[in-house]
Amino acid sequence: AEDAVRVELCREAMRQTIERQSAHLTRLLDELLDVNRIARGHFTVEKESIELQEVLDRAVETSRPLIDAQAHRLRMTIPGKPIPVLGDRMRLTQAFVNLLNNAAKYTPAGGDISLSAVVRSTDVEIRVRDTGKGIDELGVAAYLGAPLVDSRGTSLGAIAAIDRSPRAWTATDLDTLRE
């Protein structure tokens, strides 16, 4: 009976690993397809009314295994009231997953990561902060590498940018970077 329990636990662990790896491969394929769509000028954003808390919860759920594997502490500071936004649920979730995963990857084990949202008039400011070393603004520009605008001069949407304070990453529009 004990062997049967061990076998079942092993099967469950393998099933979870396969699920995680499948989800990861799906995200990688989606990102490659997005790059192709951007290059061809066929990138679309499906805007709908969404609840920001749901997007952030989904992003944290997706990033949680990486955060936990590094024994990081994650603190979320989100308003207690609903924050409806008009946006693309999948792309926003993907952007926040990327920011949280980068924070988890580049923060020394046992570090702190915070995710906060603040409503400012008609805007929402979302920050991912961590206790990692970070890179300066020139490093971010080199890291991003590719042009931030398409051939028509249109912003390619939300990008990761560094605020003036150390390691304060925010999802922002290109115009903010032109300061």
Side-chain angles (χ1 to χ4, degrees):
E2 200 173 294
D3 285 340
V5 170
R6 270 190 254 166
V7 167
E8 189 56 38
L9 289 173
C10 184
R11 282 185 183 154
E12 178 61 20
M14 287 190 285
R15 185 191 64 74
Q16 289 177 2
T17 299
I18 290 169
E19 273 185 21
R20 279 193 308 272
Q21 294 301 319
S22 295
H24 180 68
L25 288 173
T26 299
R27 280 194 306 274
L28 287 174
L29 180 59
D30 287 343
E31 288 179 12
L32 287 172
L33 290 171
D34 283 346
V35 168
N36 185 22
R37 288 183 198 108
I38 290 169
R40 294 180 316 157
H42 294 112
F43 188 77
T44 59
V45 175
E46 303 294 325
K47 289 185 180 179
E48 62 179 311
S49 180
I50 57 176
E51 170 52 47
L52 185 61
Q53 179 74 43
E54 291 173 20
V55 170
L56 296 176
D57 286 344
R58 190 173 291 168
V60 168
E61 178 184 337
T62 302
S63 298
R64 180 59 76 178
L66 186 58
I67 292 167
D68 290 346
Q70 294 293 320
H72 295 314
R73 289 171 298 279
L74 175 65
R75 187 183 78 233
M76 287 181 66
T77 308
I78 310 295
K81 60 184 180 186
I83 307 171
V85 296
L86 184 63
D88 185 316
R89 181 185 317 272
M90 183 185 77
R91 298 199 191 287
L92 285 171
T93 301
Q94 181 181 14
F96 296 126
V97 165
N98 289 344
L99 290 170
L100 289 167
N101 283 350
N102 284 341
K105 286 179 197 173
Y106 299 110
T107 298
D112 294 312
I113 299 171
S114 69
L115 171 64
S116 64
V118 177
V119 177
R120 300 195 188 283
S121 184
T122 59
D123 297 328
V124 179
E125 178 181 289
I126 299 160
R127 291 178 181 253
V128 174
R129 292 178 183 253
D130 61 63
T131 54
K133 180 181 173 190
I135 55 177
D136 61 23
E137 288 187 53
L138 292 175
V140 170
Y143 174 76
L144 291 174
L148 302 178
V149 294
D150 65 16
S151 59
R152 297 176 305 260
T154 305
S155 168
L156 294 178
I159 60 168
I162 289 187
D163 186 272
R164 298 288 180 226
S165 58
R167 283 303 276 167
W169 293 78
T170 58
T172 185
D173 201 33
L174 179 62
D175 293 336
T176 305
L177 291 178
R178 292 187 180 142
E179 296 176 347

